[in-house]
Amino acid sequence: MGGFAIAEKFLSFQGEGIHSGRRAYFIRLFGCNVKCGWCDSKSAWEGAAPETLSAREIAGAALDSGAEIAVVTGGEPCLYDLRPLLRELSARSVSAHLETSGTLPIPEGRGANFAWVALSPKLFCPPRADSLARADELKFIISDPRELSDCERLAEGAGRAKAFWLHPEWSRSVDERLLGALCEFAVSRGGRWRVGWQVHKLYRAR
Ligand code: SF4
């Protein structure tokens, strides 16, 4: 069984989405196929990974952390076959969440499933239809209100999702015009549309 290249792993809290505020053990896997210019996690795909661990070692650390949930993130975690890690987490009764761009198939199956899939579509590199359909929530990072029509089109493919989050891109997180446009859009659409912030950044948390 191959190991997992780890960019970092740490205990913090979930700062985004429906599970915001929950104590979470983040497993940031190394590597990304998307490479957004504005990425705030470039250390997860530039240079070299600081360590490689087995699924058993990662799951043991997640359990020992005492977190409510384990968040498998990146980079793009679906570059890896995540099923061995999911089985090890399940064997320890650790609830596994995934954060993905949706540009690759989500590796699940045969007793290896995520309890929650948060998919953050990148408009210049759209998600696969099957990954979009699997998502439990969508998180859009918006820097320009003109992107909202593309968000709405993508949301149509996420029939299982319980929420479609609109977050301002962090360098514009107090831009009144942008926040006003996101708020107006979410209120006018109603239903599953939500406005939010990347709260962990407000708290200066990782
Ligand atoms: S998909 Fe995520 S990790 Fe990859 S470059 Fe974009 S923001 Fe960074």
Side-chain angles (χ1 to χ4, degrees), residues 20-38:
S20 185
R22 298 185 72 186
R23 197 169 67 245
Y25 189 73
F26 287 86
I27 302 156
R28 191 180 298 287
L29 298 180
F30 189 84
C32 187
N33 58 316
V34 184
K35 299 185 169 61
C36 308
W38 45 264

Side-chain angles (χ1 to χ4, degrees), residues 61-81:
L63 178 66
D64 291 346
S65 76
E68 291 181 73
I69 54 177
V71 180
V72 182
T73 186
E76 175 43 69
C78 295
L79 287 167
Y80 296 80
D81 180 0

Side-chain angles (χ1 to χ4, degrees), residues 99-176:
E99 294 183 342
T100 178
S101 65
T103 53
L104 298 169
I106 295 172
E108 291 183 304
R110 289 201 223 164
N113 293 291
F114 285 100
W116 193 259
V117 173
L119 191 150
S120 183
K122 312 298 181 254
L123 299 181
F124 70 93
C125 187
R128 292 167 54 101
D130 54 351
S131 297
L132 195 57
R134 167 65 183 87
D136 293 302
E137 66 181 337
L138 300 186
K139 295 190 283 187
F140 295 101
I141 306 296
I142 309 289
S143 55
D144 187 324
R146 288 174 293 187
E147 296 163 2
L148 289 167
S149 56
D150 284 333
C151 299
E152 189 160 39
R153 182 179 48 76
L154 282 168
E156 288 172 7
R160 171 176 175 157
K162 291 155 193 70
F164 309 137
W165 290 93
L166 301 174
H167 294 287
E169 191 272 313
W170 191 248
S171 69
R172 302 191 59 193
S173 60
V174 291
D175 181 323
E176 287 184 18

